[in-house]
Amino acid sequence: MTAYSFDRLVVCDSAAIAQLLIANNFHFENNCAILSITGYPQSIFDITMQMLRRNPDLKVYAVHECNPRGIGLVHNLRTNANWFLNSEIVIIDIGLMPRQIIATKRGMFIQSSPESAQAAKQLPEEVRQSLSAEELTWLESGNFVELESFTPQRIIKVLQKGITGSLNLESDDSSLLLVGDTGNDMYIVQSFG
């Protein structure tokens, strides 16, 4: 069993999103492991990481909320010894990024807090350099958007598009927000905001 490894890993910034994906069999349908940055699921985290680290062709997909902690997820994966420190593993940021929120012209549930503003001002320099001035201003104003404000179906579809490469992750579009719901699929939302 431990000789096997996935070619893809989805890392979520919260256990709730990882639970959502696992409950909906995203890992089976997309042949990928799913973990949260917090170590969920704890019962298989260590063995899964051992398996993943042995795969030189591993691709990691980061999905996170649009807040300072979430935006720092990729940096955390690259600089944390529990993850991929000193590794050449490809890490792809699927979002949610401020540029996606800013590019969206329709209503969305944008929240704000002084704690988020303070955390944005303390982002590591490497993370700050990856953001535009407009994105930094938006974050330092305390703005944030939670993934739970999107439907489970929308999150799953965006992840599928990101993994298959049909989502242009480098553009300033708001693909996370524009994926349409078909209404024909069933999604489990147990313990999901």
Side-chain angles (χ1 to χ4, degrees):
M1 170 80 174
T2 59
Y4 176 78
S5 180
F6 293 97
D7 287 332
R8 297 181 288 233
L9 167 64
V10 173
V11 179
C12 307
D13 68 340
S14 74
I17 298 298
Q19 288 170 348
L20 167 88
L21 296 173
I22 292 168
N24 282 284
N25 291 318
F26 188 89
H27 53 303
F28 286 125
E29 294 174 13
N30 295 279
N31 191 29
C32 65
I34 299 172
L35 299 172
S36 78
I37 195 72
T38 61
Y40 177 86
Q42 287 83 6
S43 61
I44 62 167
F45 181 83
D46 290 334
I47 191 78
T48 302
M49 286 303 298
Q50 288 173 14
M51 292 166 36
L52 292 167
R53 284 190 188 108
R54 285 196 299 268
N55 185 347
D57 298 322
L58 178 68
K59 286 189 179 176
V60 177
Y61 298 87
V63 61
H64 54 82
E65 295 186 344
C66 187
N67 63 29
R69 184 178 54 88
I71 291 167
L73 179 61
V74 171
H75 176 73
N76 192 1
L77 292 171
R78 287 190 175 124
T79 59
N80 187 319
N82 292 329
W83 291 93
F84 301 106
L85 177 66
N86 300 322
S87 171
E88 297 299 318
I89 296 296
V90 174
I91 302 174
I92 301 163
D93 191 341
I94 291 185
L96 189 62
M97 297 298 290
R99 65 181 148 270
Q100 293 170 306
I101 306 303
I102 292 167
T104 302
K105 302 300 182 213
R106 50 190 183 137
M108 150 172 337
F109 189 57
I110 299 173
Q111 299 178 68
S112 184
S113 77
E115 295 81 17
S116 187
Q118 186 61 33
K121 293 173 184 162
Q122 296 173 358
L123 282 169
E125 190 56 35
E126 297 86 2
V127 175
R128 296 180 69 75
Q129 290 174 354
S130 70
L131 301 169
S132 70
E134 185 179 22
E135 289 177 294
L136 285 170
T137 300
W138 188 88
L139 284 168
E140 290 176 354
S141 296
N143 296 320
F144 65 96
V145 174
E146 296 175 334
L147 278 175
E148 286 88 347
S149 64
F150 299 97
T151 66
Q153 183 178 12
R154 188 157 294 165
I155 293 168
I156 289 169
K157 284 185 175 185
V158 167
L159 275 173
Q160 286 172 329
K161 286 184 166 216
I163 287 174
T164 62
S166 60
L167 177 65
N168 182 357
L169 301 170
E170 297 303 316
S171 74
D172 286 344
D173 73 14
S174 52
S175 298
L176 180 64
L177 314 172
L178 300 178
V179 176
D181 294 336
T182 64
N184 298 326
D185 300 316
M186 182 152 79
Y187 292 84
I188 297 170
V189 292
Q190 180 180 12
S191 76
F192 182 73

